[in-house]
Each structure stands twice: as C-alpha cells, then as structure tokens.
C-alpha cells in the first residue's frame, strides 16, 4: 500500500462569506497502490500563488511516491529537508507541504480504517463550541448587526467579524463607526454571545490608535482583538499588551511551529491562529498547537477555506488541548457545501464530531474538475 500518484489540482471558487470574491487553492490528491485516495489542500488563496504551489507539489511528488502513507512524520521531514533552499522557515514550500501532509493523513486513516481524530490520539473534549466567522460588508451598521444576530440565533456562541474587507462596511478606519458597530452587534446578539474583531490588511493602526481602540473594545467586553498591529510587530504588541487587558490574537500568517514559538515567546499573544493548509499540514498544526498548550495559550484554527481544510480543522480542534472552539463560515458556498458528502457543521452551536476513516469525507471529483484553473 505505497503511494502511487500525487496530483496537484489548482481550483478557483467564489466565496459568499467574502463578498463573493474568487479564491483559489491547490488541492492535493494522493492515491495508493490499492486505489485508495487521500485529499489535502494548500491555502494559497491567490491565483499566482496557487499555480506556484501546484508546481512545487509536482516537484515534491517523487519524494512521496513509493513511500508508505503511514509514515507521515518521516515524509514530512523529507519534504522539509528537500526544500531547504526555497522553504527554510517560510513560504510557498510550507503551503505545498501542507497540502501533501493533509492528504497523507487522510490516506493513512483510510488504509487503517481509522479516523484522523483517532490517529491524533482521540478527542480531548466531548463538545467543541462554534462561532460564526464572517466579514463586515454592508454600509448599514443596523443591517450588519441584524445579519450577524441571525447567524448566532442558530446557536452559534458568537461571531468573529473581519474589518477592512471588500464591500461597503468601512470598518476599522473611523473610531466612532467602529464602536457603534460593536455596540449594535452586541445588542442584537444578546447576552452570552462573544464578539471578536479581526483587522484586515487594508486597516493600518499605529500603536496609540491600537491602544485607544483596544481599551474601548475591552470596556465593551470584546472577547479578543485580532491582528490590530498586523502579523509581525513585537515591540508594538508589547506596548499594546502593557496598556490594555484585552486578549490579543495573531499568528495565522506564520508558516510553521518555529514561527509560532517565536511569537509565543514574545508574551504578546493570547490566541494563536493556525491554518492547517498553511502551517505545514496536520503535522505542522499539531506541533504548533502543542507549543500553545505548553505555554497556556489558546490555539484557533483559521477555518476559512474549503471543506477539506474544514475537516482537518475539525479533527485537530477536537484533538488539541489548546483549541477551545472552531470558527465556521455561516454561509456555505459550493467549496464548503458541495465539495464533500459530509460538510462540517454545528448542532445548537456545537461542532459535530468527525466520523469515518481518514478525514471522514468523500470529495466530489466532478466539482473539482469543473473548478480547475488549468482546464
């Protein structure tokens, strides 16, 4: 039961939770000598990066072909060693390794007729709370508050809202508007629902602005403030940490466990975002989440891609002690709803437990082929 083929498939799809913007990712399909198939995903998001990752996966394929899928750690190390010149510590290589590694874990589970969750050691919790992860896109604050409350009324435990995104929301620029948004969303959701604020790349706050806004958000009970100073500003985050007690989140743009360790050691991050499609797969996510657990930090899957990364995030979040909740896109498009037979979802605000061998999903290959970028 050796690896027989490794196929890199660049796809593009519209994302309704991101203002119907086209996103692209590289899916990885690994087939063994008995015809079993494992699926993975590299979250490249941009077409040029997706096509680059496709070429890297094709270049790494000879290292994987002929190997035993059970040896995920050994193969992961070989891939990192091979990419020493163009992937040491970060970059496109990490994305490619992510897609291959997720597919190998899926295939390993299918060979052993065991779920990835069980292969990771089993669930460390019986329930996994879910929150909505979405972007603010409308000009009307009242309309956005009503929309977000409708999502949390399904049982979701709160919402993480991205500022500075496509659309007409214009959030993250004017303090008065931002605070009015927080007040109205919290009132619309009602008590017992958490609100998290996630700054986008279009927002630029200097340290005094971040401190002022963080203090105002803290007074209003915002659960955490994500990337208020971008992904890499240790001195700025140290000043923010000293001036405010709000929980600070960042880290989803790190490439590997070493990067996560670096930011944790600064003492400025409370919630570390991790993306299995970026941080060197299931293997890399687990290593990074273990660092978070050892340092009493929360890890949080950046579950904002297709159903394949969703299934990996589901298994990892149940298995890793540092993961306390899971973000779900409240509006599914084809990449989440139709790509697999059993999309991850929630019941009364709690994520369903993974079932079945591997990632527990069967991929709609007709949909994959129709979404190919290289047709």
């Amino acid at each position: 039961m050796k690896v027989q083929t490794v196929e890199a498939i660049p796809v593009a799809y519209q994302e309704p939770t991101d203002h119907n913007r086209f996103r692209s990712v590289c899916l990885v399909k690994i087939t063994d000598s008995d015809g079993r198939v494992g699926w993975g995903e590299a979250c490249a998001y941009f077409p040029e990066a997706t096509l680059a990752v496709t070429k890297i996966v094709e270049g790494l394929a000879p290292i994987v072909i002929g190997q035993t899928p059970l040896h995920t750690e050994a193969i992961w190390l070989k891939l990192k060693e091979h990419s020493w010149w163009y992937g040491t510590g970060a970059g496109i290589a990490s994305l490619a390794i992510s897609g291959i590694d997720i597919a190998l874990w899926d295939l390993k589970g299918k060979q052993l007729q065991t779920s990835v969750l069980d292969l990771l050691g089993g669930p460390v919790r019986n329930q996994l709370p879910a929150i909505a992860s979405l972007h603010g896109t409308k000009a009307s604050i009242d309309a956005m508050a009503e929309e977000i409350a409708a999502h949390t009324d399904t049982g979701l435990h709160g919402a993480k809202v991205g500022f500075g995104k496509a659309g007409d929301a214009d959030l993250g620029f004017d303090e008065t508007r931002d605070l009015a948004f927080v007040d109205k969303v919290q009132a619309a959701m009602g008590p017992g629902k958490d609100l998290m604020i996630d700054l986008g790349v279009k927002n630029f706050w200097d340290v005094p602005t971040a401190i002022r806004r963080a203090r105002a958000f803290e007074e209003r009970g915002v659960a955490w403030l994500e990337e208020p100073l971008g992904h890499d500003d240790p001195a700025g985050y140290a000043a923010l940490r000293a001036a405010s007690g709000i929980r600070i989140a960042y880290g989803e743009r790190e490439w590997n466990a070493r990067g996560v360790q670096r930011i944790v050691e600064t003492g400025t991050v409370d919630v570390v975002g991790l993306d299995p499609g970026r941080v060197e797969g299931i293997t890399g996510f687990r290593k990074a989440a273990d660092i978070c657990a050892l340092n009493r930090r929360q890890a949080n899957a950046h579950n904002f891609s297709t159903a394949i990364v969703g299934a990996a995030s589901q298994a990892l979040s149940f298995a890793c002690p540092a993961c306390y909740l899971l973000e779900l896109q409240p509006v599914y498009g084809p990449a989440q709803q139709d790509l697999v037979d059993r999309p991850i979802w929630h019941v009364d605000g709690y994520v369903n437990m993974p079932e079945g061998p591997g990632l527990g999903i069967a991929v709609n290959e007709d949909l994959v082929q129709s979404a190919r970028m290289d047709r």
Side-chain angles (χ1 to χ4, degrees):
M1 295 188 293
K2 306 288 189 180
V3 172
Q4 185 168 331
T5 61
V6 177
E7 184 180 359
I9 309 172
V11 299
Y13 63 95
Q14 281 186 288
E15 180 51 71
T17 315
D18 192 14
H19 210 66
N20 285 317
R21 184 170 72 88
F22 272 95
R23 287 175 176 255
S24 56
V25 298
C26 178
L27 303 183
V28 179
K29 178 183 178 182
I30 298 181
T31 307
D32 71 11
S33 52
D34 286 350
R36 297 182 186 86
V37 173
W39 286 91
E41 177 185 341
C43 294
Y45 284 167
F46 294 89
E48 69 277 12
T50 295
L51 294 174
V53 169
T54 299
K55 292 298 183 183
I56 297 296
V57 171
E58 291 172 351
L60 294 173
I63 297 172
V64 183
I65 292 171
Q67 300 294 316
T68 300
L70 304 184
H71 298 166
T72 47
E73 180 85 11
I75 298 171
W76 185 83
L77 290 169
K78 288 178 181 177
L79 296 173
K80 287 175 64 66
E81 180 182 3
H82 177 84
S83 58
W84 64 274
W85 182 255
Y86 59 87
T88 299
I92 295 292
S94 295
L95 296 173
I97 291 170
S98 296
I100 293 171
D101 184 75
I102 294 170
L104 285 170
W105 276 88
D106 186 29
L107 183 53
K108 176 166 68 171
K110 290 171 179 174
Q111 286 189 349
L112 297 174
Q113 284 295 294
T114 303
S115 70
V116 167
L117 175 57
D118 285 339
L119 292 174
L120 289 167
V124 296
R125 56 184 51 82
N126 295 323
Q127 288 187 316
L128 183 64
I131 63 168
S133 180
L134 68 158
H135 297 163
T137 61
K138 297 179 179 179
S140 168
I141 292 177
D142 289 330
M144 287 190 286
E146 182 180 352
E147 177 185 45
I148 293 166
H151 295 317
T152 58
D153 282 348
T154 66
L156 292 169
H157 289 73
K160 189 178 91 170
V161 183
F163 283 13
K165 305 295 183 178
D168 303 315
D170 196 34
L171 293 170
F173 303 100
D174 178 74
E175 182 171 356
T176 300
R177 181 171 174 80
D178 290 351
L179 297 183
F181 173 84
V182 169
D183 290 340
K184 290 192 175 183
V185 170
Q186 288 180 322
M189 290 195 301
K193 305 287 186 179
D194 287 328
L195 176 63
M196 298 80 162
I197 302 299
D198 181 11
L199 271 289
V201 295
K202 293 181 181 180
N203 301 128
F204 180 83
W205 291 356
D206 57 20
V207 173
T209 299
I211 290 173
R212 187 173 61 252
R213 201 82 101 249
R215 286 173 171 168
F217 286 162
E218 183 182 4
E219 290 175 359
R220 287 163 170 78
V222 170
W224 77 60
L225 180 58
E226 190 161 334
E227 292 198 343
L229 296 171
H231 75 288
D232 189 16
D233 185 358
Y237 276 117
L240 179 58
R241 159 65 76 241
S244 170
I246 197 168
R247 300 181 78 211
I248 300 171
Y250 63 102
E252 69 187 29
R253 284 192 269 176
E254 295 300 325
W255 300 99
N256 51 37
R258 184 177 181 180
V260 169
Q261 182 174 4
R262 177 183 62 83
I263 65 171
V264 166
E265 287 176 349
T266 67
T268 63
V269 64
D270 304 291
V271 183
V272 182
L274 301 173
D275 193 320
R278 177 185 170 99
V279 71
E280 299 181 338
I282 290 173
T283 301
F285 186 112
R286 183 59 184 265
K287 292 177 186 293
D290 284 346
I291 291 170
C292 296
L294 288 170
N295 288 275
R296 302 178 68 82
R297 300 295 192 276
Q298 180 177 347
N300 189 58
H302 174 239
N303 181 32
F304 206 94
S305 194
T306 83
I308 295 174
V309 150
S313 298
Q314 176 190 30
L316 284 159
S317 296
F318 270 104
C320 296
C323 296
Y324 303 135
L325 56 82
L326 184 61
E327 300 176 26
L328 297 179
Q329 291 157 269
V331 179
Y332 275 0
Q336 296 85 33
Q337 183 66 45
D338 303 323
L339 180 61
V340 301
D341 60 334
R342 288 190 290 186
I344 178 177
W345 195 235
H346 73 96
V347 177
D348 297 328
Y350 292 93
V351 177
N352 53 299
M353 188 86 72
E355 296 178 356
L359 291 173
I361 54 175
V363 170
N364 181 343
E365 298 202 38
D366 290 338
L367 180 61
V368 171
Q369 294 304 317
S370 70
R372 289 189 73 121
M373 297 170 59
D374 56 352
R375 290 183 284 145

